[in-house]
Amino acid sequence: MAITAHESTVSEDASVDGSMPMPHDMSSQAINQLHQEIISLQAQKGDSIRLLDKAQVSAIPDNGLHHINSIVWELERPTEDGSFSSSDRPFVLTILSQNDRVDRAKLQEVFDQASNGDSNRFFPANTRLKLAPSDELPSICGFPSGSVPPLGLTPSPQLVLVEEALVKYISSMSNRNMMLIGGGGTPNQSTVLPLQTLLAGMVSNVRTGSFRRTSDVSTITDSASHLNGSSPAPQSSISSRKWKPFFCVEPPDTEEAMAILQGKDSRKANHSEYYTGNANDSSNSDETSNLSPQAFTAIGMISGVRRIARQLVFADFSPPPQYHTKHDDEFHDQNEEDDRPWRNPRTKEDMAVQLVLGKTIMNNLGEEDGEVALRMLKKNQLILVHGLTNVDNLNSLLNWTSKMSLDVRVTDYQVLQPAQDEVAPKKSDVGFQWEQGWTGNKRIPKRSKYVAAKEKVAEPSDPNMELLQLKDLYDENEKPVVIADSTASVEGMHRDISKWLEDNPELNGFVGIDCEWKPTFLAAQGEPQPVLLMQVCVHPIRKIYLLDLQTLLRPFMSKGSPKTDFEDAVSGVLETLFQEKRLIKTGFKVLNDFRRLSASYPHMTEFHEIHSVVELSRTAMRVLQLTKRANIAAKSTSSLAKMSEFFLKKSLDKTEQTSDWSSRPMTLSQIEYAALDAIITPYLLEHLLSLVEGTIDQFPTLGRWENDTAFADAIKSWKMIVLNHSDDSVAIRRLNAQRTVGSSFVLAQSWTTGDEPPKEPNAPDDDKAPFVDVHGMTRIPSPTVSIPHDFLERVMARLIGERVSKSKDGCLSELLANQAILDLPNHRLDFPQRAGYVEFANAVALFVTMPFRPGQLRKYPNDWIYDGTALSWFIHDDEWKNGSSRLATKMLGTNDQTEASIILFVRRGKEPFVCCGRCSAEFRANEDVRFGNVLKVTLHLKEHDKLLSSGDFQNLQYM
């Protein structure tokens, strides 16, 4: 394990913002003790020992300082009888050069020699040194990790061991005036002192010895000559190999990971605790394995990218070249070939790191920005990444044990420097705007402007394709663009729309909608970004209104808040715009804009219900299918730019898409971009309908003729229901609401315009109570439904040994046929869709999928046992709780529970489920029943004799 704890100097790279975290339990007594110690030594030795802040330290020339580490070790006895209490924990302090590492075996030898024959009660025979846990340092020595000073500790160390090579180096003629610099008790201070004060001024029990790791690349000689500004000494054969940095968090212990994979470890791989650490903290942590996900922040290079699926990307993560001061020229070539570019801080062995960008980053950023983040990750980028070690995943544990490659789930990342072959954004490019990630001579990481885009626009197939401009669609002489940022301009917009509606009582009109907001990574991390600009193109009057919501509305006001004069004016125009069914609102992925509008301004109720909405991409895909071009439909409608290129033969300039939309006044380029994004959607919809001779009547209904079913539900009404995480957590969970902006979640409910709206969703706090889902269906929780015994007997007689359905819903429909409560209109059974079981009040339905063919990979090793009369079934421990959960007691008939009827459905691959009748469950908690983080339960078939005559059942067992 690498000993890098208690970094005695405050590094600018210690955390993301360049500072170390302040400990909450720092003892003022310890700080006072340190000050008293320094004052006492100053009286004896003069002012050569000082306590300096960062600014004072930076004024000292580098060649006048030598950095040291102070590392705390606890004393460990071999038996519990001699263990130390928390109030009396003696410790040993080791001091060595910052670039050196501790060799545990050598340190133990030096300690044994130093303590041999010592009558001190703290050094009994066979005492071992144990690295003190980082989080317990304040209670042991008085100071937190990252700021432990070399003297003035409270209480004092029982023994101080100073590295012999450090003493020899500082004592040499050329370096005897060099000062040592170590921790200063707080993250913002450092202690500067001469070597002789370190050796004689602290406690009497000081020893020197050689306990540094000599096989490390970094040696005290190299380090010193570098600090003096001279060229490093010639490298030995050991130090000539490429320098590899330690990764900032410790991977799991390989043997323990193997035990979990083999089902031999009684612990589950998935833990709920999260540990936030960095390179400094982790190296002074306890030596237990890290089998819980650890949060980390790291800077590195992307050395490879592999897209696995639309929302899943794997990337190889390598150390940044900026941190490699040795062999810098050859690092780039070596790094591309090295499949293990990091070192394991626990074992010092080489290791690899693989970034996993999938569900975690999608949930954190939202689907829209998350997909952009996946697309924009490129090889050779330098990035700042935030993530969690993926040690609670069996596949990742297997990857670690077999390849020494640590999988980490990315929650967020920022691009500090683009790849060398990337060029600045141009008119047809979308992605990131780059800002140099390093400033000054110290190479301090600067917060980059990672800019998320709402869509990726590929290069047009014809590089000479003409760009679409506003003047191509509207006559610029008529001044079609109006910036609505005052009461007068908003009221003028309202008058224009109302006049057209009055003058054309039998006509429909297309209205283009688009929204802009500050890109997520252009803003401060975690700061919610409301919609700042809403573009409204009223196509019948050839006007584009840019509603400046940043000026007109107050974001994130609670529901029912009084409105300002500006907001009253906006409410009037929005009510006409969104409630009038003759105004056909259209846009690309326009539902996302409506969600964000309602979440940004909850008190503006006009955003909560919108009628007559046509999703442009869906209509375009249907038109392509009708015109026999379905094979290109998905590709041609994947973005607004793609649709423009395909249907209009002109590309869109998306340069301004990722600009700062909070900046006022907007630039002419931003105004042109915003107006064009609003006008193109009604223009495209008009063009699409002309291709199939479609029209929209007064109902309104879209179609080619009366009762045309091709576009039956193309025109929808939407209701946005805004939920707050702190007040509506139960409803959010039960109704699967989507996080939209900040802590706001939005449920979007739709129906065909002109039809009666469905019941509004609601979810009582009681999990057993029925609730209404977003479709207006009343959902009955399955644990509240009881299956009568005589009814179950008749159903089993009909279903046993038969193929039932390919879905759980189909199997349950057969199982519960004619149940009164489920026969009511708009009532459905509610159960976990992805679980392998459905729990009822007096029964449990189990669903097991067996491999389709022998040797096929599968998630769980379900198998027929006991000559086919039983089946092994697996369930997660947090659902079974070692046999004590509600489900477990119901299946086992324990804790005074009546044993429930267990109905088993089994299938091969994706074939229909076969009803295998009823079974009983057996769980032997005292035996080896664990497979990774799941437990094995044995299911004994009660009606095996009846199943023997079923060919479908025989097909399940003999493949």
Side-chain angles (χ1 to χ4, degrees):
M1 181 172 179
I3 311 303
T4 59
H6 316 321
E7 294 290 332
S8 53
T9 59
V10 181
S11 169
E12 292 287 349
D13 297 330
S15 65
V16 182
D17 60 1
S19 65
M20 294 289 292
M22 282 291 290
H24 300 291
D25 55 353
M26 180 177 292
S27 169
S28 59
Q29 180 183 356
I31 297 296
N32 293 335
Q33 174 71 20
L34 176 62
H35 280 269
Q36 292 299 322
E37 183 87 12
I38 290 176
I39 292 172
S40 174
L41 289 171
Q42 284 177 339
Q44 302 173 30
K45 307 287 184 180
D47 62 357
S48 58
I49 176 170
R50 289 169 289 170
L51 197 63
L52 305 180
D53 60 25
K54 285 184 178 181
Q56 293 170 317
V57 171
S58 63
I60 303 175
D62 279 347
N63 60 3
L65 296 175
H66 187 80
H67 294 266
I68 58 174
N69 277 353
S70 305
I71 306 175
V72 175
W73 304 81
E74 286 189 289
L75 302 178
E76 188 177 53
R77 290 177 176 174
T79 63
E80 295 183 357
D81 296 334
S83 61
F84 302 108
S85 65
S86 58
S87 60
D88 185 16
R89 299 175 67 172
F91 64 93
V92 169
L93 184 69
T94 58
I95 298 175
L96 72 168
S97 296
Q98 179 181 340
N99 290 338
D100 281 337
R101 311 290 183 192
V102 172
D103 186 312
R104 293 289 186 89
K106 287 185 178 181
L107 177 62
Q108 187 66 48
E109 290 179 7
V110 172
F111 170 77
D112 291 342
Q113 292 173 4
S115 59
N116 186 29
D118 198 320
S119 59
N120 194 318
R121 68 183 178 90
F122 294 113
F123 300 144
N126 299 323
T127 299
R128 295 187 306 174
L129 294 180
K130 174 188 174 183
L131 193 64
S134 294
D135 56 349
E136 298 180 21
L137 283 176
S139 63
I140 297 174
C141 67
F143 299 97
S145 175
S147 59
V148 175
L151 75 170
L153 277 66
T154 305
S156 298
Q158 300 302 311
L159 179 66
V160 179
L161 298 176
V162 181
E163 168 56 41
E164 189 176 83
L166 171 65
V167 176
K168 290 180 180 180
Y169 171 71
I170 299 297
S171 301
S172 65
M173 186 66 71
S174 59
N175 298 315
R176 61 183 178 181
N177 294 325
M178 186 174 287
M179 303 289 284
L180 303 180
I181 179 170
T186 71
N188 299 315
Q189 291 183 318
S190 299
T191 304
V192 177
L193 73 165
L195 174 66
Q196 291 308 314
T197 301
L198 176 69
L199 295 177
M202 297 182 297
V203 293
S204 58
N205 206 7
V206 181
R207 302 286 189 274
T208 61
S210 179
F211 51 84
R212 68 177 178 135
R213 184 181 175 91
T214 56
S215 60
D216 277 341
V217 175
S218 177
T219 66
I220 191 168
T221 306
D222 299 334
S223 143
S225 50
H226 175 67
L227 287 171
N228 280 320
S230 58
S231 301
Q235 299 286 328
S236 67
S237 59
I238 294 177
S239 61
S240 62
R241 63 186 178 89
K242 188 182 69 173
W243 185 85
K244 293 185 180 182
F246 293 101
F247 193 57
C248 57
V249 291
E250 293 183 1
D253 180 82
T254 306
E255 292 183 2
E256 293 181 0
M258 285 294 295
I260 288 177
L261 289 169
Q262 296 169 1
K264 297 178 180 179
D265 197 311
S266 60
R267 294 170 297 177
K268 51 184 289 191
N270 188 14
H271 297 271
S272 60
E273 293 182 358
Y274 279 68
Y275 165 81
T276 304
N278 54 39
N280 295 342
D281 292 335
S282 63
S283 47
N284 202 66
S285 59
D286 194 7
E287 290 206 63
T288 57
S289 63
N290 292 299
L291 286 171
S292 60
Q294 298 186 65
F296 73 93
T297 299
I299 295 176
M301 295 287 293
I302 299 298
S303 53
V305 178
R306 297 172 297 282
R307 178 170 287 275
I308 308 303
R310 184 174 67 88
Q311 294 186 354
L312 180 62
V313 168
F314 290 167
D316 298 322
F317 190 61
S318 300
Q322 285 87 343
Y323 288 173
H324 295 262
T325 57
K326 302 180 182 180
H327 316 295
D328 218 22
D329 295 336
E330 63 192 63
F331 172 76
H332 298 281
D333 295 333
Q334 293 179 359
N335 191 49
E336 291 182 2
E337 300 173 1
D338 194 348
D339 59 351
R340 295 180 184 175
W342 300 92
R343 280 203 293 171
N344 184 339
R346 175 183 291 275
T347 65
K348 300 185 181 179
E349 297 174 347
D350 291 353
M351 61 173 283
V353 175
Q354 176 175 258
L355 306 182
V356 180
L357 292 85
K359 184 184 297 183
T360 301
I361 194 170
M362 299 297 291
N363 291 341
N364 187 44
L365 302 183
E367 185 170 349
E368 200 169 3
D369 287 345
E371 288 187 359
V372 173
L374 265 61
R375 287 196 298 266
M376 294 298 102
L377 193 69
K378 301 292 174 59
K379 184 177 179 181
N380 295 327
Q381 288 173 340
L382 180 69
I383 70 170
L384 174 69
V385 62
H386 309 275
L388 300 164
T389 54
N390 200 36
V391 293
D392 54 351
N393 180 279
L394 293 178
N395 290 330
S396 291
L397 283 182
L398 181 61
N399 200 30
W400 169 247
T401 56
S402 61
K403 301 178 183 178
M404 300 302 291
S405 178
L406 179 65
D407 287 352
V408 295
R409 303 194 303 265
V410 176
T411 58
D412 192 359
Y413 77 89
Q414 301 170 15
V415 180
L416 301 177
Q417 182 177 309
Q420 292 181 357
D421 56 350
E422 288 186 88
V423 296
K426 53 187 180 181
K427 288 187 175 181
S428 59
D429 289 339
V430 162
F432 302 100
Q433 292 177 344
W434 306 108
E435 178 173 306
Q436 183 63 32
W438 306 96
T439 58
N441 297 323
K442 293 186 178 181
R443 286 185 171 178
I444 302 172
K446 179 179 179 182
R447 181 153 172 47
S448 68
K449 293 186 177 180
Y450 168 114
V451 184
K454 288 194 292 183
E455 58 185 46
K456 178 184 177 183
V457 183
E459 293 282 352
S461 53
D462 181 1
N464 299 316
M465 184 178 289
E466 184 181 355
L467 287 174
L468 183 67
Q469 299 182 49
L470 185 61
K471 64 182 180 181
D472 297 330
L473 306 178
Y474 282 0
D475 186 354
E476 288 186 330
N477 295 325
E478 297 180 2
K479 297 183 179 180
V481 180
V482 177
I483 298 179
D485 58 358
S486 65
T487 303
S489 55
V490 172
E491 289 175 346
M493 172 185 175
H494 194 183
R495 284 194 301 271
D496 293 344
I497 296 173
S498 299
K499 185 176 185 303
W500 183 86
L501 289 170
E502 292 171 5
D503 294 345
N504 302 275
E506 297 183 356
L507 294 182
N508 298 304
F510 294 156
V511 176
I513 301 289
D514 192 44
C515 293
E516 306 297 339
W517 53 87
K518 193 172 185 177
T520 305
F521 299 105
L522 198 57
Q525 186 174 357
E527 180 183 353
Q529 294 305 312
V531 175
L532 303 177
L533 186 72
M534 177 182 171
Q535 304 103 281
V536 180
C537 171
V538 185
H539 195 47
I541 61 176
R542 298 296 191 269
K543 287 287 186 182
I544 306 113
Y545 301 92
L546 305 184
L547 269 172
D548 188 357
L549 302 186
Q550 179 174 253
T551 301
L552 299 169
L553 305 182
R554 298 166 298 164
F556 309 123
M557 298 297 292
S558 60
K559 300 174 187 176
S561 298
K563 295 177 181 177
T564 65
D565 291 342
F566 278 167
E567 291 169 342
D568 281 333
V570 174
S571 293
V573 70
L574 290 179
E575 184 175 7
T576 300
L577 182 67
F578 288 161
Q579 294 298 313
E580 177 54 61
K581 295 178 181 177
R582 289 194 292 126
L583 294 177
I584 311 300
K585 278 69 70 177
T586 185
F588 181 81
K589 307 287 184 175
V590 70
L591 175 59
N592 293 335
D593 289 329
F594 290 142
R595 285 181 188 273
R596 202 170 188 104
L597 283 166
S598 60
S600 300
Y601 305 100
H603 68 301
M604 298 293 291
T605 55
E606 293 76 19
F607 285 130
H608 295 176
E609 190 167 315
I610 308 102
H611 294 286
S612 299
V613 179
V614 175
E615 171 52 48
L616 184 67
S617 61
R618 185 180 177 189
T619 304
M621 188 170 291
R622 189 68 185 123
V623 167
L624 289 173
Q625 292 168 348
L626 292 172
T627 55
K628 310 301 182 185
R629 291 179 287 180
N631 59 320
I632 60 171
K635 182 178 180 181
S636 302
T637 61
S638 60
S639 72
L640 195 56
K642 286 285 188 183
M643 293 176 66
S644 175
E645 291 173 12
F646 184 80
F647 292 107
L648 306 180
K649 307 306 177 187
K650 290 188 177 183
S651 62
L652 291 177
D653 182 355
K654 307 297 288 186
T655 305
E656 293 297 331
Q657 185 179 44
T658 57
S659 62
D660 186 355
W661 290 99
S662 66
S663 178
R664 294 292 182 274
M666 291 183 289
T667 64
L668 291 176
S669 180
Q670 282 182 315
I671 293 172
E672 167 93 6
Y673 169 84
L676 194 57
D677 256 17
I679 186 178
I680 192 174
T681 51
Y683 193 86
L684 275 170
L685 180 59
E686 204 171 53
H687 176 73
L688 289 168
L689 293 181
S690 70
L691 294 177
V692 293
E693 299 182 356
T695 59
I696 297 180
D697 60 24
Q698 282 185 297
F699 284 100
T701 306
L702 191 156
R704 297 163 293 176
W705 49 75
E706 189 176 356
N707 298 323
D708 181 11
T709 59
F711 300 96
D713 58 348
I715 303 179
K716 289 182 174 292
S717 294
W718 288 94
K719 177 178 286 187
M720 304 295 149
I721 302 166
V722 182
L723 304 173
N724 186 275
H725 184 266
S726 58
D727 300 329
D728 308 302
S729 58
V730 175
I732 289 170
R733 173 175 55 81
R734 299 191 74 183
L735 298 173
N736 296 319
Q738 293 185 17
R739 183 189 294 271
T740 306
V741 181
S743 61
S744 294
F745 290 72
V746 176
L747 275 173
Q749 186 178 43
S750 68
W751 64 95
T752 301
T753 298
D755 292 350
E756 284 294 319
K759 293 171 64 176
E760 185 169 326
N762 72 78
D765 289 343
D766 184 1
D767 279 344
K768 295 182 180 180
F771 65 95
V772 179
D773 67 11
V774 74
H775 304 292
M777 301 287 292
T778 299
R779 306 295 293 262
I780 310 297
S782 62
T784 65
V785 176
S786 181
I787 306 176
H789 180 73
D790 56 343
F791 175 81
L792 184 60
E793 289 287 344
R794 293 194 299 271
V795 171
M796 286 294 98
R798 177 170 55 88
L799 295 182
I800 190 166
E802 298 293 331
R803 290 191 173 201
V804 182
S805 174
K806 286 188 175 182
S807 68
K808 284 190 284 187
D809 282 298
C811 294
L812 295 173
S813 295
E814 291 291 334
L815 185 63
L816 302 174
N818 302 318
Q819 287 290 289
I821 192 170
L822 299 177
D823 280 345
L824 296 174
N826 297 325
H827 280 60
R828 286 190 61 185
L829 189 71
D830 182 63
F831 59 90
Q833 292 289 330
R834 301 187 65 181
Y837 62 88
V838 176
E839 181 183 357
F840 297 96
N842 63 336
V844 178
L846 304 181
F847 296 87
V848 179
T849 298
M850 304 293 288
F852 184 74
R853 57 182 177 272
Q856 185 176 356
L857 292 176
R858 45 184 169 164
K859 190 172 183 180
Y860 303 121
N862 306 102
D863 208 354
W864 295 104
I865 53 179
Y866 304 141
D867 295 328
T869 62
L871 178 69
S872 57
W873 180 68
F874 292 86
I875 184 170
H876 283 271
D877 193 19
D878 55 359
E879 297 172 282
W880 192 255
K881 299 187 185 306
N882 206 34
S884 63
S885 69
R886 184 183 66 183
L887 173 68
T889 56
K890 186 177 292 186
M891 291 178 60
L892 299 172
T894 55
N895 292 354
D896 298 326
Q897 281 263 19
T898 302
E899 184 178 349
S901 296
I902 304 173
I903 302 101
L904 178 63
F905 295 91
V906 184
R907 68 175 175 181
R908 286 177 52 196
K910 295 184 179 180
E911 292 182 345
F913 283 102
V914 175
C915 179
C916 297
R918 285 162 292 193
C919 58
S920 61
E922 179 187 13
F923 177 69
R924 300 178 180 178
N926 58 338
E927 295 184 5
D928 186 8
V929 294
R930 183 174 295 278
F931 179 80
N933 60 346
V934 295
L935 300 174
K936 183 178 75 173
V937 179
T938 302
L939 305 175
H940 297 275
L941 302 180
K942 290 184 174 182
E943 299 166 290
H944 181 258
D945 293 341
K946 297 179 182 179
L947 289 168
L948 292 178
S949 60
S950 168
D952 291 325
F953 175 74
Q954 297 294 332
N955 188 46
L956 292 175
Q957 295 195 323
Y958 305 105
M959 296 179 290

Short mmCIF file of all heavy atoms in Angstrom, two decimals, residues 379-398:
data_model
loop_
_atom_site.label_atom_id
_atom_site.label_comp_id
_atom_site.label_asym_id
_atom_site.label_seq_id
_atom_site.Cartn_x
_atom_site.Cartn_y
_atom_site.Cartn_z
N LYS A 379 -11.24 10.50 -27.89
CA LYS A 379 -9.89 10.05 -27.57
C LYS A 379 -8.93 11.24 -27.54
O LYS A 379 -9.06 12.17 -28.34
CB LYS A 379 -9.43 9.02 -28.60
CG LYS A 379 -8.06 8.41 -28.29
CD LYS A 379 -7.70 7.35 -29.32
CE LYS A 379 -6.33 6.76 -29.03
NZ LYS A 379 -5.94 5.74 -30.03
N ASN A 380 -7.99 11.19 -26.60
CA ASN A 380 -6.93 12.20 -26.43
C ASN A 380 -7.43 13.50 -25.80
O ASN A 380 -6.68 14.48 -25.76
CB ASN A 380 -6.22 12.50 -27.76
CG ASN A 380 -5.47 11.31 -28.29
OD1 ASN A 380 -4.95 10.50 -27.52
ND2 ASN A 380 -5.40 11.18 -29.60
N GLN A 381 -8.66 13.53 -25.29
CA GLN A 381 -9.10 14.69 -24.52
C GLN A 381 -8.52 14.61 -23.10
O GLN A 381 -8.36 13.53 -22.54
CB GLN A 381 -10.62 14.74 -24.42
CG GLN A 381 -11.34 15.10 -25.70
CD GLN A 381 -12.84 14.97 -25.56
OE1 GLN A 381 -13.33 14.27 -24.66
NE2 GLN A 381 -13.59 15.61 -26.45
N LEU A 382 -8.22 15.77 -22.53
CA LEU A 382 -7.87 15.86 -21.12
C LEU A 382 -9.12 16.27 -20.37
O LEU A 382 -9.73 17.29 -20.69
CB LEU A 382 -6.77 16.90 -20.90
CG LEU A 382 -6.32 17.09 -19.44
CD1 LEU A 382 -5.56 15.88 -18.95
CD2 LEU A 382 -5.46 18.35 -19.30
N ILE A 383 -9.56 15.46 -19.40
CA ILE A 383 -10.83 15.74 -18.73
C ILE A 383 -10.66 15.71 -17.22
O ILE A 383 -9.74 15.11 -16.68
CB ILE A 383 -11.93 14.73 -19.15
CG1 ILE A 383 -11.63 13.33 -18.56
CG2 ILE A 383 -12.09 14.68 -20.64
CD1 ILE A 383 -12.79 12.36 -18.73
N LEU A 384 -11.58 16.41 -16.57
CA LEU A 384 -11.77 16.32 -15.12
C LEU A 384 -13.02 15.49 -14.90
O LEU A 384 -14.10 15.87 -15.36
CB LEU A 384 -11.95 17.71 -14.51
CG LEU A 384 -12.29 17.78 -13.02
CD1 LEU A 384 -11.12 17.33 -12.18
CD2 LEU A 384 -12.71 19.19 -12.62
N VAL A 385 -12.89 14.35 -14.24
CA VAL A 385 -14.01 13.42 -14.14
C VAL A 385 -14.41 13.24 -12.68
O VAL A 385 -13.57 13.21 -11.79
CB VAL A 385 -13.64 12.06 -14.77
CG1 VAL A 385 -12.47 11.41 -14.06
CG2 VAL A 385 -14.83 11.11 -14.79
N HIS A 386 -15.72 13.19 -12.46
CA HIS A 386 -16.29 12.87 -11.15
C HIS A 386 -17.00 11.52 -11.30
O HIS A 386 -17.71 11.29 -12.28
CB HIS A 386 -17.31 13.92 -10.71
CG HIS A 386 -16.81 15.33 -10.79
ND1 HIS A 386 -16.09 15.93 -9.79
CD2 HIS A 386 -16.92 16.26 -11.77
CE1 HIS A 386 -15.79 17.16 -10.14
NE2 HIS A 386 -16.28 17.38 -11.34
N GLY A 387 -16.81 10.63 -10.33
CA GLY A 387 -17.45 9.33 -10.47
C GLY A 387 -17.42 8.51 -9.21
O GLY A 387 -17.05 8.99 -8.12
N LEU A 388 -17.82 7.25 -9.35
CA LEU A 388 -17.86 6.28 -8.26
C LEU A 388 -17.25 4.98 -8.75
O LEU A 388 -17.49 4.57 -9.89
CB LEU A 388 -19.31 6.01 -7.81
CG LEU A 388 -20.13 7.18 -7.28
CD1 LEU A 388 -21.61 6.82 -7.28
CD2 LEU A 388 -19.68 7.53 -5.88
N THR A 389 -16.48 4.33 -7.90
CA THR A 389 -15.97 3.01 -8.27
C THR A 389 -17.14 2.03 -8.37
O THR A 389 -18.04 2.03 -7.53
CB THR A 389 -14.95 2.51 -7.24
OG1 THR A 389 -15.55 2.54 -5.94
CG2 THR A 389 -13.71 3.39 -7.24
N ASN A 390 -17.11 1.21 -9.40
CA ASN A 390 -18.26 0.33 -9.68
C ASN A 390 -18.06 -1.05 -9.08
O ASN A 390 -18.25 -2.08 -9.73
CB ASN A 390 -18.44 0.21 -11.21
CG ASN A 390 -19.82 -0.26 -11.58
OD1 ASN A 390 -20.80 0.10 -10.95
ND2 ASN A 390 -19.91 -1.06 -12.62
N VAL A 391 -17.68 -1.08 -7.80
CA VAL A 391 -17.33 -2.35 -7.17
C VAL A 391 -18.55 -3.14 -6.71
O VAL A 391 -18.41 -4.26 -6.23
CB VAL A 391 -16.38 -2.12 -5.97
CG1 VAL A 391 -15.05 -1.60 -6.45
CG2 VAL A 391 -17.01 -1.15 -4.97
N ASP A 392 -19.74 -2.56 -6.83
CA ASP A 392 -20.94 -3.30 -6.43
C ASP A 392 -21.58 -4.02 -7.61
O ASP A 392 -22.71 -4.46 -7.54
CB ASP A 392 -21.95 -2.38 -5.76
CG ASP A 392 -22.29 -1.17 -6.63
OD1 ASP A 392 -21.61 -0.98 -7.66
OD2 ASP A 392 -23.23 -0.44 -6.28
N ASN A 393 -20.83 -4.14 -8.70
CA ASN A 393 -21.31 -4.81 -9.90
C ASN A 393 -20.47 -6.06 -10.14
O ASN A 393 -19.24 -5.99 -10.19
CB ASN A 393 -21.24 -3.87 -11.10
CG ASN A 393 -21.73 -4.50 -12.38
OD1 ASN A 393 -20.99 -5.24 -13.03
ND2 ASN A 393 -22.96 -4.23 -12.74
N LEU A 394 -21.12 -7.21 -10.30
CA LEU A 394 -20.39 -8.47 -10.45
C LEU A 394 -19.52 -8.49 -11.70
O LEU A 394 -18.39 -8.98 -11.68
CB LEU A 394 -21.37 -9.64 -10.47
CG LEU A 394 -22.12 -9.91 -9.16
CD1 LEU A 394 -23.08 -11.06 -9.34
CD2 LEU A 394 -21.15 -10.20 -8.03
N ASN A 395 -20.02 -7.93 -12.81
CA ASN A 395 -19.22 -7.90 -14.04
C ASN A 395 -17.98 -7.05 -13.86
O ASN A 395 -16.91 -7.38 -14.38
CB ASN A 395 -20.06 -7.38 -15.20
CG ASN A 395 -21.13 -8.36 -15.62
OD1 ASN A 395 -20.96 -9.57 -15.47
ND2 ASN A 395 -22.26 -7.86 -16.12
N SER A 396 -18.11 -5.96 -13.13
CA SER A 396 -16.95 -5.10 -12.89
C SER A 396 -15.95 -5.76 -11.96
O SER A 396 -14.74 -5.61 -12.13
CB SER A 396 -17.41 -3.75 -12.32
OG SER A 396 -18.11 -3.01 -13.29
N LEU A 397 -16.45 -6.50 -10.97
CA LEU A 397 -15.53 -7.26 -10.12
C LEU A 397 -14.76 -8.30 -10.92
O LEU A 397 -13.56 -8.52 -10.71
CB LEU A 397 -16.29 -7.92 -8.98
CG LEU A 397 -16.72 -7.04 -7.80
CD1 LEU A 397 -17.42 -7.88 -6.75
CD2 LEU A 397 -15.52 -6.33 -7.19
N LEU A 398 -15.46 -8.95 -11.85
CA LEU A 398 -14.81 -9.92 -12.71
C LEU A 398 -13.76 -9.24 -13.59
O LEU A 398 -12.66 -9.76 -13.80
CB LEU A 398 -15.85 -10.62 -13.59
CG LEU A 398 -15.32 -11.70 -14.55
CD1 LEU A 398 -14.66 -12.83 -13.77
CD2 LEU A 398 -16.46 -12.24 -15.40
#
